[in-house]
Amino acid sequence: MSDSTTHVAIGGDITIGCTVNGEAVAVQVPVRTSLSDMLRAALGLTGTHLGCEHGVCGACTIIVDGAAVRSCLMLAAQAEGSDIRTIEGLAVDGRWHPVQTAMHDHHGFQCAFCAPGFMMTAVAMLEDDPNRSEQEIREELGGNLCRCTGYESIVDGVLAAVATLRGAS
Amino acid sequence: MTSPETHHTGTFDTATQGSGLGAFTGTSVKRVEDHRLLVGDGRYVADVVPPGCLHAAFVRSPFPHARLTGIDTSEATRLPGVVSVITGSDIEELTNPFLPFLALPGLYTPLYHSLSSERVRFVGDPVALVVASSRAVAEDAAELVDVTYEVLDGIGTIDRALDPESEPIWPRAKNNLLYDRTTDHGDVEGVFADADHVFTETFRCPRQSNQPMETRGILVEVDSVTGAVSVRAATQAPHMLRWQIAAYARKESGPQSIRSFLTNPERRGAFLAAAKAFVGDKGEALQSSDSTAMQHQLKTEPRTALQMVRTGAQLLGRDDYPHVDADDIGGGFGAKGSVAREEIAVAAAALAIGRSIQWIEDRMENLMDGGQAREEELTLSIACDADGTVRGLDVDLVLDQGAYPGNPVGAPITVRIMEVMQPGAYRFEAFRQRSRIVATNKGKYVAYRGPWANETWARERMINVVARRLGLSQTEIRRKNMYGDEDWPAAMLTGPALDVTCSVRKTLERAEELADLDRLDALRADAVSRGKRLGIGFASYHEAAPGPPDYFEHVNPGTSALLDQPATASVSVDGTIQIWTSQMPHGQSHETTYAQLAADQLGVAIEDIELVYGDTSRAPFDLLGTGGSRGGPVGGGAVRKVGRHLRSVVVAKAADMLEASVDDVTIERGNIHVAGVPARGLTYAEVAARVVADGETVDGRDGTYAFSVDDTYTSAGDGGWSVATHVCWVEVDVETGIVEIPRYLVVEDCGPIINPAIVDGQVRGGVAQGIGAVLYERAAYDEQANPQASTYMDYLIPTATEIPRIEVDHMETLSPGENDHRGVGEGGMIGAPAAITNAIEDAIGVTVNDQHLPPYRILELMGIIRPD
């Protein structure tokens, strides 16, 4: 079981400069820190959740430079200079993003542990192209697991957000 | 009586004020919880890390079954940042072993500790706990703990466990059969001899896992000055966790505990009063519990008696139990109703070191040790007449509980519920069940959403087998044999009373109407033209959510009192309203539904109700927390009862102030006034202020209140059954074996609905787990019990592309009683595996005996590929 040559803790800290929810930050973390741990532990942004820590469940999804990424699979060091958005930055001045409103209207979530990941995936998808069919939405959301809802309420929420965003544009 | 109309679609803006009784109940009020959970403001257990908190990681067995011959922690201890490494033998010094929670006649329950010291019994069995400055360092150090093992034969299947020569996992049990009992109802021999046909099939369900999206976790805080212990945890039952930590996480001297109890008159008095209150009118019921069960346990494991006395004395000897607080929880599905060995080990470590420790499980640990379920084999024989009248049912059940018993809810109680519910809503004349529980070297069996669901699966499969053999349709045979309104009052052969709420046949008839059965042939032909086979499957069940008043006495005599549900309602001195529940929400939206029930009773708005739960220093006591589809009927019943009670005392005071008769006082939109004279009304704050001025405040749960009332919804409440019929359509691709679900329909009857959108969500979520069980998920082990699914690459949870839209149709049969909301948490999962497998059998025309049907298995069944 023991193999001291490969399991020595990796020492040394690194300072990461990036933008998180519109604010420039400089965070000192151990070199091996994942981006999700940096957000949660160093910045206190605990809205980003860790469900599997191996890149399958999607609960930790955030938006980095406009793209939905799994923050458990990205090192903090890789985020140097990037623009990061998390669930905490979705509402503006207390006004919910249309995706949040739509999820509320459609009883999107239950335990809601997966909710931040789903909503960040949905936001990135709709910012990329708001004209999405139900099948496209289901495929885009296919990288996020929910154990409570059977997905119908989440899909309905995203469809409603599509309608809202279309109306607004 | 019934109003079989369709969906409720109304939504209600939570900002709208209540306007008297019944304004919110029955409408899809939007979720109160969303205001924090949709903005990332939830507080799940991993989100709270106090300054200076240490972190834990477990060293776990890589072998299914082995003797532990040595453990060397020196290298791990030397790693910078490591505070302590605690081994199994340390834990035996520090803690008490777990005790049996429920005893069944003939059942052996082992005594074991939170870490293993001499023998490991499954891959993932914890043998040491590392406490360090960070989780990463703790995990590094865990890999430096050098454990040596002498490998034993791993028992990975039910067949191997039933072999009397198999290596005993619990040596005191002599072999791996831990329970074997047969019960008869009616003249089984006579009915089977007399019937025209007897059909027999064996059904196998592989291991599944609950898999909530949030893993398990606990934070144990120790106050460095006072030593007070405070716990945060992802638990469905905070009071249960509190008691178990008090009982197990430290070991105290028995004589000293007893002295401490006897010399403290306050504690003695409090205990006697509590015992008297608990036994009260339940004395007779408690005495009816079976003492032969404990006799067998003591014979097999004599240490049980001493440990029970020691642990009992320890619980009596002090009153500084830890305080447990559970906040937001990321799902449980039964898994977090267990108290984990890890939770006790972390609490023991925190107490021993005197510092706060957090443990957050990772997904691999969760897949190995976070709770598994449902692995059962059932052989069913049905005796029936040529016309399709079913007469006798004979069942042989074997349940694979894995290595360690569920704590507290696991295999034994599941077996009892399976036995009681096995005949379903069919008019059998005789029923026999042999039930066995075996130990294997796998993760522990826990309650998983509708824990007894395989009684429904096997019975509904077998009913279809009988129908096919006799040339009857699936619906014909069910209609012919099910209880209906002409039968009441009736009782199941196993005891529980059946009444109008057992409306299973009505849901079947309604499902037939909605299923467009006249289009079925056209659908089949269309599927064939596309290289597919279409099939349809029906399945019907009734579940005790909460069940008739006598239900649990038939499951486990003498323990109904455990199911009582307390609630408190109060008005603060400033006029704010609190509802206090012992329920522990973890996705079911209690804050919304209970606010609906209470707001309607009290004539106020949803946001005027504060729900207090989860914090053991504040929430009312009950051991079981949330589970068993009890949140709506039982927890909700208690809220309605206590809300009505609070209204009556508030109205009485207001009537005094208004110089009116209580009968004339009404409450609308928070305005307490004489009916017809709203302009001269009082607010709750004004009434509360008068109570204060008049010196009439009362001591409530958490201080001084203007009003505070307590009520209990007892197991002898109004009760009733929650029922449904599921219909599934499948298309099987004959080349790939892939199964698609073009349509899925649920007709359910849970009585009057509190919040239709929430009920729909519960039903659909349950069906999705059923689809996962049949088509994707399997907690697979090999013959030697090596796990084959320890990541989400292997344990496949269905996604939005696999789960179809699910139609939900509601019937709302009223019960004869007053509190007639009934539960829906589990039903989706109970009906779905049966409906899906029945549909697949209908599509491929081959008898389906397995619950898990991935594409390769479909192709094997169709004879396209050969089984290996």
Side-chain angles (χ1 to χ4, degrees):
Chain A
M1 286 276 300
S2 77
D3 179 354
S4 56
T5 56
T6 55
H7 296 298
V8 176
I10 298 159
D13 283 358
I14 186 172
T15 301
I16 314 292
C18 56
T19 306
V20 178
N21 296 328
E23 281 184 40
V25 297
V27 202
Q28 195 178 350
V29 291
V31 176
R32 63 174 171 175
T33 304
S34 69
L35 181 53
S36 54
D37 283 350
M38 181 189 98
L39 293 170
R40 288 178 52 82
L43 294 174
L45 296 171
T46 54
T48 297
H49 295 157
L50 293 170
C52 74
E53 296 175 281
H54 57 274
V56 182
C57 80
C60 67
T61 304
I62 58 173
I63 298 175
V64 178
D65 296 331
V69 306
R70 276 145 213 263
S71 59
C72 77
L73 290 187
M74 199 168 152
L75 290 169
Q78 294 171 286
E80 175 66 34
S82 60
D83 179 40
I84 294 169
R85 290 155 66 198
T86 70
I87 186 70
E88 288 91 346
L90 212 49
V92 179
D93 300 331
R95 274 182 302 116
W96 283 3
H97 186 281
V99 167
Q100 289 168 307
T101 305
M103 289 302 173
H104 183 56
D105 289 347
H106 290 269
H107 283 249
F109 300 102
Q110 292 174 26
C111 85
F113 192 79
C114 69
F118 267 99
M119 288 191 284
M120 298 315 283
T121 301
V123 167
M125 164 178 69
L126 298 179
E127 285 177 356
D128 177 52
D129 178 3
N131 294 304
R132 302 283 188 161
S133 69
E134 175 170 343
Q135 188 53 36
E136 286 171 331
I137 289 168
R138 283 183 179 266
E139 281 168 19
E140 289 283 341
L141 297 181
N144 291 71
L145 298 180
C146 165
R147 194 59 162 165
C148 294
T149 64
Y151 301 102
E152 188 164 328
S153 54
I154 301 172
V155 171
D156 284 344
V158 179
L159 281 167
V162 165
T164 307
L165 291 168
R166 270 192 193 145
S169 64
Chain B
M1 205 83 177
T2 0
S3 54
E5 90 274 5
T6 47
H7 295 263
H8 299 253
T9 47
T11 54
F12 212 104
D13 194 311
T14 54
T16 309
Q17 290 283 311
S19 54
L21 293 171
F24 296 116
T25 304
T27 65
S28 291
V29 167
K30 292 177 197 168
R31 289 186 2 130
V32 173
E33 296 84 347
D34 283 353
H35 295 283
R36 61 175 189 278
L37 298 182
L38 293 183
V39 298
D41 230 2
R43 274 212 308 184
Y44 300 85
V45 63
D47 299 344
V48 180
V49 187
C53 182
L54 301 172
H55 299 262
F58 285 89
V59 180
R60 294 174 183 275
S61 168
F63 300 111
H65 200 183
R67 270 193 205 91
L68 219 146
T69 53
I71 184 160
D72 180 356
T73 62
S74 52
E75 199 178 344
T77 311
R78 281 199 298 271
L79 190 73
V82 171
V83 174
S84 179
V85 182
I86 293 171
T87 65
S89 33
D90 297 333
I91 275 291
E92 283 175 20
E93 293 300 311
L94 292 169
T95 69
N96 287 319
F98 294 97
L99 291 168
F101 185 72
L102 285 177
L104 293 186
L107 173 73
Y108 169 65
T109 306
L111 300 194
Y112 59 99
H113 283 85
S114 53
L115 298 176
S116 297
S117 62
E118 291 170 5
R119 182 188 285 251
V120 289
R121 298 179 171 86
F122 71 104
V123 173
D125 201 342
V127 297
L129 170 66
V130 178
V131 181
S133 55
S134 76
R135 186 179 174 196
V137 171
E139 288 181 5
D140 287 340
E143 298 203 17
L144 298 176
V145 174
D146 194 6
V147 190
T148 49
Y149 297 97
E150 178 191 322
V151 175
L152 300 170
D153 187 26
I155 313 296
T157 64
I158 286 176
D159 281 351
R160 300 199 70 213
L162 284 173
D163 177 355
E165 300 302 309
S166 60
E167 175 79 38
I169 295 166
W170 298 101
R172 281 180 185 279
K174 305 283 193 283
N175 55 45
N176 291 310
L177 178 61
L178 303 182
Y179 176 73
D180 185 355
R181 195 174 183 218
T182 302
T183 46
D184 272 31
H185 305 271
D187 177 14
V188 180
E189 310 292 342
V191 166
F192 272 78
D194 183 54
D196 295 336
H197 302 281
V198 174
F199 299 114
T200 301
E201 289 289 340
T202 295
F203 301 99
R204 285 174 296 268
C205 181
R207 221 163 181 76
Q208 301 163 10
S209 179
N210 313 51
Q211 290 305 305
M213 284 297 101
E214 177 200 37
T215 57
R216 299 176 299 166
I218 190 168
L219 165 66
V220 182
E221 287 186 80
V222 180
D223 187 304
S224 57
V225 180
T226 65
V229 178
S230 179
V231 174
R232 297 181 66 84
T235 173
Q236 296 173 219
H239 282 287
M240 173 71 78
L241 180 60
R242 174 173 189 251
W243 275 62
Q244 289 212 16
I245 291 174
Y248 301 137
R250 64 176 141 206
K251 176 157 77 178
E252 288 164 14
S253 131
Q256 203 174 323
S257 295
I258 292 168
R259 252 197 317 279
S260 159
F261 175 64
L262 293 177
T263 55
N264 183 331
E266 230 171 80
R267 196 170 304 152
R268 225 167 51 222
F271 170 74
L272 292 175
K276 207 169 153 197
F278 183 73
V279 175
D281 49 289
K282 315 233 165 39
E284 203 174 310
L286 289 168
Q287 273 169 18
S288 71
S289 56
D290 195 334
S291 63
T292 59
M294 193 43 79
Q295 285 162 17
H296 175 84
Q297 173 70 24
L298 293 177
K299 209 173 107 202
T300 323
E301 179 61 276
R303 288 183 306 153
T304 310
L306 178 66
Q307 287 300 340
M308 285 177 88
V309 171
R310 174 199 282 278
T311 309
Q314 179 168 323
L315 286 173
L316 293 175
R318 52 196 308 161
D319 46 15
D320 57 343
Y321 290 12
H323 156 236
V324 173
D325 194 0
D327 214 320
D328 291 313
I329 297 178
F333 314 108
K336 293 172 184 168
S338 295
V339 174
R341 293 168 75 198
E342 290 90 340
E343 289 169 328
I344 298 301
V346 171
L351 286 164
I353 300 168
R355 294 186 56 187
S356 303
I357 304 176
Q358 186 194 57
W359 171 65
I360 303 299
E361 182 184 47
D362 74 23
R363 185 56 62 180
M364 186 180 280
E365 292 177 292
N366 187 263
L367 279 157
M368 293 189 298
D369 195 18
Q372 301 173 355
R374 216 82 88 192
E375 183 162 9
E376 282 120 19
E377 278 186 19
L378 300 101
T379 299
L380 272 70
S381 296
I382 283 187
C384 62
D385 285 341
D387 68 350
T389 303
V390 299
R391 299 182 54 196
L393 176 63
D394 186 336
V395 177
D396 187 338
L397 161 72
V398 189
L399 182 152
D400 177 351
Q401 83 158 24
Y404 291 84
N407 170 32
V409 184
I413 201 67
T414 304
V415 159
R416 283 298 304 142
I417 299 175
M418 288 178 81
E419 284 176 4
V420 169
M421 296 308 297
Q422 185 68 66
Y426 299 91
R427 287 180 296 237
F428 288 103
E429 296 165 44
F431 169 55
R432 166 180 295 162
Q433 178 146 342
R434 180 184 188 190
S435 297
R436 285 175 283 179
I437 296 173
V438 296
T440 60
N441 293 112
K442 302 179 193 170
K444 68 177 178 292
Y445 182 109
V446 301
Y448 174 26
R449 199 174 201 163
W452 56 91
N454 276 340
E455 55 75 31
T456 289
W457 175 62
R459 181 192 62 247
E460 294 300 297
R461 281 290 308 112
M462 194 64 206
I463 291 287
N464 272 30
V465 168
V466 173
R468 274 162 57 83
R469 305 246 167 104
L470 296 178
L472 298 169
S473 78
Q474 298 179 49
T475 51
E476 207 177 345
I477 193 168
R478 287 181 168 77
R479 253 186 285 112
K480 186 180 184 67
N481 289 294
M482 275 178 181
Y483 286 102
D485 279 350
E486 69 277 13
D487 296 312
W488 319 133
M492 298 179 73
L493 275 177
T494 49
L498 298 174
D499 67 3
V500 65
T501 63
C502 186
S503 57
V504 189
R505 201 174 71 194
K506 287 183 182 168
T507 63
L508 172 70
E509 288 161 358
R510 174 77 179 148
E512 282 188 85
E513 284 168 35
L514 296 173
D516 307 313
L517 294 175
D518 50 344
R519 286 184 51 219
L520 196 56
D521 287 341
L523 291 174
R524 288 189 203 275
D526 175 61
V528 168
S529 74
R530 290 178 286 112
K532 297 187 177 186
R533 300 287 180 271
L534 181 128
I536 187 169
F538 283 77
S540 303
Y541 67 86
H542 67 304
E543 67 157 322
D550 65 342
Y551 170 71
F552 213 74
E553 285 305 305
H554 296 291
V555 172
N556 200 48
T559 52
S560 287
L562 284 175
L563 302 180
D564 287 357
Q565 189 83 184
T568 297
S570 54
V571 177
S572 295
V573 291
D574 66 358
T576 58
I577 300 167
Q578 299 83 28
I579 299 291
W580 313 65
T581 179
S582 62
Q583 286 277 315
M584 185 60 235
H586 46 287
Q588 299 87 346
S589 319
H590 290 68
E591 286 167 72
T592 306
T593 49
Y594 286 7
Q596 290 177 255
L597 293 170
D600 281 344
Q601 292 296 333
L602 299 169
V604 297
I606 294 289
E607 58 269 27
D608 291 334
I609 305 289
E610 182 203 352
L611 188 70
V612 183
Y613 63 89
D615 178 338
T616 56
S617 65
R618 305 180 73 205
F621 174 79
D622 97 290
L623 273 182
L624 299 181
T626 289
S629 302
R630 299 169 70 248
V634 185
V639 167
R640 255 199 348 187
K641 194 170 171 184
V642 80
R644 196 182 305 131
H645 188 173
L646 181 63
R647 179 191 177 95
S648 72
V649 297
V650 171
V651 164
K653 183 68 184 175
D656 266 359
M657 294 168 68
L658 294 165
E659 296 175 344
S661 155
V662 288
D663 297 334
D664 296 333
V665 174
T666 189
I667 314 177
E668 288 172 333
R669 297 161 193 264
N671 179 13
I672 309 164
H673 59 273
V674 174
V677 199
R680 290 193 47 230
L682 301 164
T683 63
Y684 274 86
E686 286 164 343
V687 177
R690 176 64 71 87
V691 169
V692 174
D694 292 349
E696 294 168 354
T697 55
V698 293
D699 287 336
R701 299 205 69 87
D702 199 11
T704 301
Y705 294 83
F707 304 95
S708 183
V709 294
D710 304 300
D711 279 294
T712 298
Y713 183 101
T714 68
S715 54
D718 300 319
W721 300 98
S722 190
V723 311
T725 292
H726 288 215
V727 193
C728 177
W729 288 256
V730 297
E731 280 191 3
V732 178
D733 186 313
V734 298
E735 275 188 33
T736 62
I738 288 173
V739 175
E740 288 184 349
I741 300 176
R743 188 178 174 197
Y744 199 105
L745 167 68
V746 178
V747 179
E748 70 77 36
D749 184 350
C750 64
I753 290 172
I754 301 170
N755 186 314
I758 288 169
V759 166
D760 287 349
Q762 288 292 320
V763 172
R764 291 186 177 121
V767 171
Q769 284 176 316
I771 293 171
V774 176
L775 300 178
Y776 306 102
E777 299 173 32
R778 184 176 169 204
Y781 285 84
D782 71 10
E783 295 263 315
Q784 277 71 44
N786 294 291
Q788 310 292 298
S790 50
T791 74
Y792 275 166
M793 310 292 206
D794 320 296
Y795 193 91
L796 302 177
I797 291 178
T799 75
T801 58
E802 283 86 45
I803 303 298
R805 285 192 174 269
I806 292 155
E807 299 165 46
V808 187
D809 188 75
H810 302 292
M811 301 176 81
E812 296 188 65
T813 301
L814 300 177
S815 83
E818 199 177 351
N819 288 311
D820 56 3
H821 304 300
R822 300 192 287 277
V824 288
E826 292 162 297
M829 184 64 177
I830 295 171
I836 301 162
T837 51
N838 281 349
I840 291 172
E841 175 173 285
D842 184 53
I844 65 178
V846 180
T847 303
V848 168
N849 299 83
D850 307 298
Q851 186 170 117
H852 185 56
L853 299 167
Y856 79 86
R857 187 67 192 134
I858 298 279
L859 295 176
E860 286 175 357
L861 287 170
M862 295 179 75
I864 294 166
I865 61 173
R866 250 202 315 262
D868 31 67

